[in-house]
Amino acid sequence: MTAILQELEDRREAARMGGGQRRIDSQHAKGKLSARERIELLVDDGSFEEFDTFVTHRSTEFGMEKTKPAGDGVVTGWGTINGRQVYVYSQDFTVLGGSVSATHAAKITKIMDMAMQNGAPIVGINDSGGARIQEGVDSLGGYGEIFQRNIMASGVVPQISLIMGPCAGGAVYSPAMTDFIFMVKDSSYMFVTGPDVVKTVTNEVVTAEELGGATTHTRKSSVADAAFENDVEAIDEVRRLVDFLPLNNRQKPPVRPFFDNVDRIEASLDTLIPDNPNQPYDMKELIHKIADEGDFYEIQAAFAGNILTGFMRLEGRSVGVVANQPMVLAGVLDIDSARKAARFVRFCDAFEIPILTLVDVPGFLPGVTQEYNGVIKHGAKLLFAYGEATVPKVTVITRKAYGGAYVVMSSKHLRGDINYAWPTAEIAVMGAKGATEIIHRSDLSDAEKTAAHTKDYEDRFANPFVAAERGFVDEVITPSATRKRLCRAFAGLRGKQMQMPWKKHDNIPL
């Protein structure tokens, strides 16, 4: 028995070493951790339970039968993050470049199936050279099986992707279908076709970093949600994100102890809105001042800065936040911001996370480029997302809510549950100046009359009371009491139940 146990330990040790110490050292030299080191950082100490440690590939082509490393280039299993279960796979670049074979893919799909069966999030750590060419179509079939699991798990359990090395070709479509993608600066990249292919086909010269690096995907393409300096920081942020999320779509978001006063009055909010209606202010200040302990976890911070999305807590409970940001483009809605917010709203709705919407929006961004690129259809995505969401929805209008953008931003007309407005709110079809130029076009040559008409319009419509009289706003609240009113509002909605008409699925304008 001693000999048998020793053989088991020797085999385990060989599997733990992956591609060998030399290749692990090479990973470290690039500023990257090994597959197992990443898992050790991600899950709680001693909680990781590994599966399929001794699985090897079955290929006999091109001399592959001579090299059969245990684990086949991916470490899979489950562990806990702050005591809550997650399933994990981590591709090992030291073993055949982390390339995906049929058995490599089977290991991944096995734990994805288990995650759906047991109702726990999936965290995938990608560091792979792509399909294992020696296996041909078997490798491609493996990718297809992974993609199918991504589709089936979508909206069932949260899926989080960490890109910590190369992720190219068809491999990119698995993380693309997950809920959140985190990248590491200077060491990770994603693209369908690499720089060499781009140069051959289009004669464009571009580096891997420019084509598919972390900066590109967080600032330009919006493929990734955040980029971090190194593996350790990225993994730490994943742990923080998981704390905000429910384990699956049948559970409520987690409740944690909080040390903030529910009735806290924040006097500085009474002077947050500038006297000049065209002067910007930072909406993040409002978010930090109403959140428990001022904690706000922003999603896609580097993309479409005119809208903010992220998570905070009220009374220890997770809340998704969507907020116009007057500091960027005056907070207008455009193609990018509508796509960003719509996807976030749909995620929150899928996982029973209540949604808080903070509104200061002068309308949709006008322009030929926006129209040509489909602002109508993209803007409709956000409207659709809010309209179909059945989770608790609370809205606060802080200043401008003009035109169609007012309707889109979780208005009462899209089944907003509780809609508040500050006394500084202006709810109207458009701004006073623009409205005057249309209504009183004949008086435009008379500056005095135009000024009087503008003042009259402001007095009549540039306030929240007309909407309040019609029940479109439930209450006009004191800014300093916003946290207290929001805590009470969400507390009152915890028992909300709402059903959409039966359908196979909707047809959101993609």
Side-chain angles (χ1 to χ4, degrees), residues 16-17 21 23-29 31-45 48 50 75 88 90-92 94 125 127 162 164 231-232 235-236 239:
R16 290 190 199 107
M17 292 303 293
Q21 190 60 50
R23 289 178 179 170
I24 292 173
D25 291 342
S26 177
Q27 280 277 97
H28 292 165
K32 297 162 64 176
L33 298 175
S34 71
R36 291 179 181 277
E37 288 169 341
R38 289 164 175 166
I39 291 178
E40 286 170 11
L41 278 177
L42 177 67
V43 300
D44 300 335
D45 290 345
F48 184 60
E50 186 174 352
V75 183
V88 186
S90 180
Q91 293 178 316
D92 190 347
T94 70
I125 302 175
D127 188 359
L162 277 161
M164 294 189 152
D231 288 10
V232 175
I235 290 169
D236 191 51
R239 286 179 59 89

Side-chain angles (χ1 to χ4, degrees), residues 219-237:
R219 295 181 182 274
K220 295 179 181 178
S221 71
S222 80
V223 167
D225 295 285
F228 302 100
E229 296 297 331
N230 52 57
D231 288 10
V232 175
E233 185 181 350
I235 290 169
D236 191 51
E237 289 300 316

Side-chain angles (χ1 to χ4, degrees), residues 1 20 26 28 67 89 104 117 262 310 337 347 413 470 488-489:
M1 190 65 186
S26 177
H28 292 165
T67 307
Y89 69 85
H104 178 119
Q117 176 182 304
V262 172
S337 60
F347 173 82
H413 322 286
R470 286 159 174 73
R488 296 287 294 159

Side-chain angles (χ1 to χ4, degrees), residues 182-319:
F182 290 169
M183 297 184 73
V184 179
K185 295 176 184 176
D186 302 322
S187 65
S188 66
Y189 51 85
M190 300 173 70
F191 40 64
V192 177
T193 54
D196 294 338
V197 177
V198 170
K199 186 176 188 300
T200 301
V201 176
T202 68
N203 208 33
E204 295 174 284
V205 178
V206 64
T207 66
E209 184 65 28
E210 291 168 338
L211 185 62
T215 301
T216 297
H217 286 313
T218 51
R219 295 181 182 274
K220 295 179 181 178
S221 71
S222 80
V223 167
D225 295 285
F228 302 100
E229 296 297 331
N230 52 57
D231 288 10
V232 175
E233 185 181 350
I235 290 169
D236 191 51
E237 289 300 316
V238 169
R239 286 179 59 89
R240 186 174 164 221
L241 172 61
V242 169
D243 277 351
F244 283 96
L245 309 179
L247 294 180
N248 57 65
N249 62 356
R250 295 180 181 274
Q251 290 191 8
K252 295 288 186 182
V255 182
R256 65 163 228 182
F258 65 101
F259 307 95
D260 205 341
N261 186 357
V262 172
D263 297 327
R264 171 164 53 81
I265 298 299
E266 194 65 57
S268 62
L269 293 181
D270 288 338
T271 55
L272 178 65
I273 306 298
D275 292 335
N276 181 348
N278 297 318
Q279 184 178 335
Y281 61 94
D282 191 354
M283 188 65 86
K284 284 185 185 179
E285 182 179 344
L286 170 58
I287 296 172
H288 286 297
K289 287 182 176 178
I290 59 178
D292 287 355
E293 290 95 39
D295 184 28
F296 176 53
Y297 189 100
E298 190 169 0
I299 300 293
Q300 287 200 315
F303 180 75
N306 42 325
I307 203 159
L308 305 171
T309 55
F311 299 103
M312 69 175 194
R313 293 184 181 88
L314 289 172
E315 295 190 89
R317 300 170 187 268
S318 298
V319 174

